[in-house]
Amino acid sequence: MEYKSRELERKFLKMNRNFKAILVTGARQVGKTTMLKHLAEGTDRTYVTMDNRMARELAKSDPVLFFQTYKPPILIDEIQKAPELFEQIKIMCDESEEKGRFWITGSQQYKMMSKVRETMVGRIGILSLYSLSQREKAGILLEDEPDFSLQALLERQKLFKRNNIIDVYKHIWTGGMPEIQEADSEIREEYFNSYIETYLMRDATEVGGISDTVKFNKFLTACAALISSQINYSTLAEAADISQTTAKNWLNVVQGLGIIYLLPPFENNELKRLVKMPKLYFCDTALCAYLSKWLSVETLMNGAASGHYYENYVVMEFVKTYAYSKAKANLSYYRDSNAKEIDIFIEENDMIHPIEIKKSANPDRREVKKYSVIDKTSLKRGEGGIVCMCEEVIPIDEDNCFIPSNII
């Protein structure tokens, strides 16, 4: 299978020049190991995976002997299975000034990250990799986050094909798992069935102590039904026949495994009556579609949930963009007790870029009037707009545009 270049490569290589260890986190099968092996081609970097029982047992029982056996520079895969290594990695980082000695992957942040924060402060760079974005699939790799000014959007638009609803829903239904980009529907079904049974169930058992596979499957399906909605623990608990406390714990586990993304609500002391519950999105829309039994692009595109999947797709494209770009941003959504909602606030440099998401090719331009709520805060309102199925960038007013969803 041909390797697809990843936008995270640029950031990883930069961190490799500045940190002694770099950890890449993300769900199973999103391409962490493939990317790092690709970057290690032509070097003498040792590779070892903690999925290997003998290597794992050595790592757990004798980390010093482990690193005598597997010498740096090294790529250690799935380190969450042997967190005992972090202590020795810390010692070895302190003994040498050499950068980039330890490349590490982990597909589970639930307990691993507390161990990293405990032992590796100042020694490790941490990055997140998600499944393939629409840009990566198209082979268009961009270093910078979007600039929402009209001129910048018009320039960006030149790099992309014309927005097309069939292409968009094909991307949503296919998802971004590298292994199944060319798979037919039968292979795709088997892949996700195996993914849930082989990885998710095993990791959930090891990490979260979840042993009831039937209830956990029901819980995952209930999560898929809540796509692009505020979390409702009573709904999740009822669907899986578990307590609300258990539902909260299981959601933490699934989030830690990189399966779901929780978009926090906007918080601001100057605005009262804001909701407190995050919204639930799937990091990979194809897994969500599989759990909800949307068996073809057409049924998903024309189904009752198509708007929710469209919103999920747009939100995750923004998440991936800001995970890989030079600038960081806080992403949140706005909703008050009167149910006034703005789908995404992109907050950077004390400025909020407001974004609405509409599946329509011709949304109501009056939607942007809601953005005036930002003016009640001490933060500045930046340029924004409505991400939608329009075919080209069209200005709405001096601050906002209709933005084709395939160029974000």
Side-chain angles (χ1 to χ4, degrees), residues 55 72 74 142 144-145 166 212 218 240 243 299 321 335 337 348 365 386 390 397:
I74 187 171
L142 303 172
D144 296 313
E145 72 285 0
I166 305 293
D212 193 326
K218 286 180 179 175
S243 70
T299 53
T321 292
R335 183 184 286 174
S337 55
E348 53 181 351
R365 60 181 55 234
I386 302 174
C390 62
D397 56 30

Side-chain angles (χ1 to χ4, degrees), residues 104-151:
I104 306 164
T105 79
S107 58
Q108 182 275 108
Q109 299 180 39
Y110 194 57
K111 291 175 183 168
M112 176 179 69
M113 295 311 292
S114 59
K115 188 76 177 172
V116 171
R117 281 189 281 269
E118 203 178 288
T119 55
M120 298 294 294
V121 178
R123 300 168 183 87
I124 192 165
I126 302 169
L127 298 168
S128 296
L129 184 68
Y130 296 91
S131 60
L132 292 162
S133 69
Q134 60 181 358
R135 295 179 308 283
E136 289 170 330
K137 286 187 187 181
I140 300 168
L141 305 188
L142 303 172
E143 291 187 10
D144 296 313
E145 72 285 0
D147 177 333
F148 295 103
S149 67
L150 174 61
Q151 198 53 48

